[in-house]
Amino acid sequence: MSDKLDPLSRRILEVTQHGIEFTHSPFKKIAEETGLREQEIVDRLKQMQNQGIIRRFGASIGHRTIGITANAMCIWNVPDERVEDVGKVMSGFSEVTHCYERPRYPDWPYNLFTMVHSYSKKDCEEIAGKIADATGIYDYRLLFSEHEFKKTGVRL
Amino acid sequence: MIRLDEMDKKILNEIQLEFPLSVNPYAVLAERIGIPEEELLKRLERLNNQGAVRRVGPIINTRKIGGTSTLIALKAPDSQTHEIGEIINKHPEVSHNYLRPAEYNIWFTISAANRERLDTIIKQIVEETGCPILDLPTKRLFKIGVKFDVR
């Protein structure tokens, strides 16, 4: 059962999701718009973070801009009975930012997806190699992103 | 690529996790990092203008607010990838969209209030592009935690 979002929490998310200002009091304008005090907004954001509604409040880095241009979607064909164990091992690598199990299709046997970002393709390949050795899964590929069409993050 | 000095890198590493949720967050951060707040704000402005910092804000967990999402793999003809990428982009519910050379070469995520809405958007995109797709929703989430180690 997922939490429903109350109107005020929703409003606060709507106005902050595009980013807060880089000023001494970034919540001042939002306070004026919503009629809340700045501290109330901050408390509500903290509460949503504790509830898991906000995964993380912080900076989204433009990783391509800072040279992290190798972004590999590593896809793995893992025997179903090993998915749980392998998923956990893969997640233990700090270089792995995302790890998901997804469904297979007749022309798509890969069921585990991990994102690995680094400064070079060689880096990513080395990391994938380490993951393969740690899990014993060698049926894998690296799909590098050649172009970013869009990245806005989840919006309400 | 943007030029980063050691202080920029320190800031970039510091503001991803553990961002202080307080009324004057940059004052708190500046003290933590050991620079005047004014300098921190000036550097953040530059980093933001140059695209090194996209934004500071909440990353929303769709599932926690009753929504749902999926990853779509799409097969586009190589000569039309950019055109098709743009068609997909027009949908506001598409949050990430990347070109990854492979048999399925356009990969994008969609977030919506429910599965029905997701299916409607997918159907629209298939109609608009005429391309085959794979619908790859999350069966199980093992990890999600984006933190870039800025060197």
Side-chain angles (χ1 to χ4, degrees):
Chain A
M1 193 59 206
S2 41
D3 297 276
K4 271 287 141 68
L5 210 55
D6 66 86
L8 200 55
S9 296
R10 176 172 285 271
R11 182 92 187 97
I12 291 171
L13 281 181
E14 278 169 359
V15 295
T16 55
Q17 67 184 343
H18 299 289
I20 63 170
E21 292 180 329
F22 300 106
T23 59
H24 178 66
S25 301
F27 301 105
K28 193 151 178 269
K29 247 193 230 159
I30 299 164
E32 284 160 14
E33 280 174 27
T34 56
L36 293 171
R37 286 177 297 112
E38 287 164 84
Q39 189 60 52
E40 283 178 298
I41 294 167
V42 164
D43 289 340
R44 192 63 82 105
L45 285 167
K46 272 193 213 159
Q47 188 183 53
M48 285 193 274
Q49 200 168 31
N50 290 337
Q51 290 173 303
I53 290 169
I54 294 175
R55 281 195 204 280
R56 172 175 71 92
F57 192 101
S60 294
I61 304 293
H63 51 280
R64 285 174 143 72
T65 307
I66 62 169
I68 299 175
T69 52
N71 301 285
M73 191 175 75
C74 309
I75 54 182
W76 311 81
N77 182 358
V78 181
D80 290 336
E81 67 276 10
R82 291 208 55 208
V83 165
E84 182 161 345
D85 293 335
V86 168
K88 288 194 181 128
V89 171
M90 288 183 175
S91 301
F93 282 80
S94 58
E95 300 94 333
V96 169
T97 54
H98 302 68
C99 182
Y100 293 85
E101 183 192 3
R102 301 185 187 277
R104 299 182 205 270
Y105 287 89
D107 64 339
W108 192 261
Y110 306 101
N111 56 345
L112 229 60
F113 289 60
T114 59
M115 287 304 305
V116 171
H117 306 270
S118 197
Y119 289 87
S120 72
K121 285 189 180 177
K122 191 157 168 285
D123 264 2
C124 292
E125 280 157 8
E126 268 171 31
I127 294 161
K130 275 198 269 175
I131 295 172
D133 289 339
T135 56
I137 305 294
Y138 291 96
D139 187 0
Y140 72 94
R141 292 169 57 185
L142 268 60
L143 269 54
F144 288 97
S145 56
E146 295 301 324
H147 184 73
E148 182 178 279
F149 290 115
K150 189 186 208 186
K151 189 194 180 280
T152 60
V154 175
R155 296 278 181 267
L156 285 186
Chain B
M1 206 192 93
I2 186 180
R3 239 180 334 108
L4 299 173
D5 65 21
E6 289 312 306
M7 185 49 71
D8 289 327
K9 292 178 194 174
K10 195 169 178 194
I11 292 168
L12 288 172
N13 281 324
E14 200 62 43
I15 53 171
Q16 294 179 63
L17 313 175
E18 312 281 344
F19 184 89
L21 267 173
S22 66
V23 171
N24 305 114
Y26 298 109
V28 175
L29 259 172
E31 197 180 319
R32 216 190 266 173
I33 294 171
I35 53 173
E37 189 187 1
E38 209 175 302
E39 186 188 339
L40 174 63
L41 290 173
K42 217 183 271 172
R43 284 176 178 273
L44 282 171
E45 272 295 339
R46 185 186 87 95
L47 291 168
N48 180 236
N49 289 339
Q50 302 262 320
V53 172
R54 291 182 199 254
R55 55 162 202 132
V56 170
I59 292 171
I60 298 165
N61 185 339
T62 335
R63 269 176 186 76
K64 273 283 175 177
I65 55 173
T68 188
S69 63
T70 194
L71 173 69
I72 303 286
L74 179 142
K75 203 181 282 200
D78 285 327
S79 56
Q80 293 177 351
T81 51
H82 282 257
E83 187 189 324
I84 289 170
E86 289 305 315
I87 291 171
I88 297 165
N89 276 2
K90 284 201 168 66
H91 293 264
E93 298 95 336
V94 168
S95 52
H96 300 66
N97 188 6
Y98 292 94
L99 177 67
R100 299 184 189 275
E103 316 85 284
Y104 288 92
N105 51 3
I106 299 183
W107 293 75
F108 57 98
T109 53
I110 316 173
S111 297
N114 50 56
R115 235 298 142 176
E116 292 70 45
R117 177 73 193 134
L118 221 54
D119 288 336
T120 304
I121 298 165
I122 294 168
K123 194 154 167 279
Q124 274 173 7
I125 289 174
V126 169
E127 275 169 20
E128 289 161 4
T129 60
C131 296
I133 59 131
L134 294 176
D135 185 4
L136 300 161
T138 305
K139 272 182 82 177
R140 184 166 162 172
L141 169 63
F142 286 97
K143 181 181 189 180
I144 176 166
V146 181
K147 162 71 165 73
F148 293 108
D149 182 24
V150 185
R151 305 186 240 128

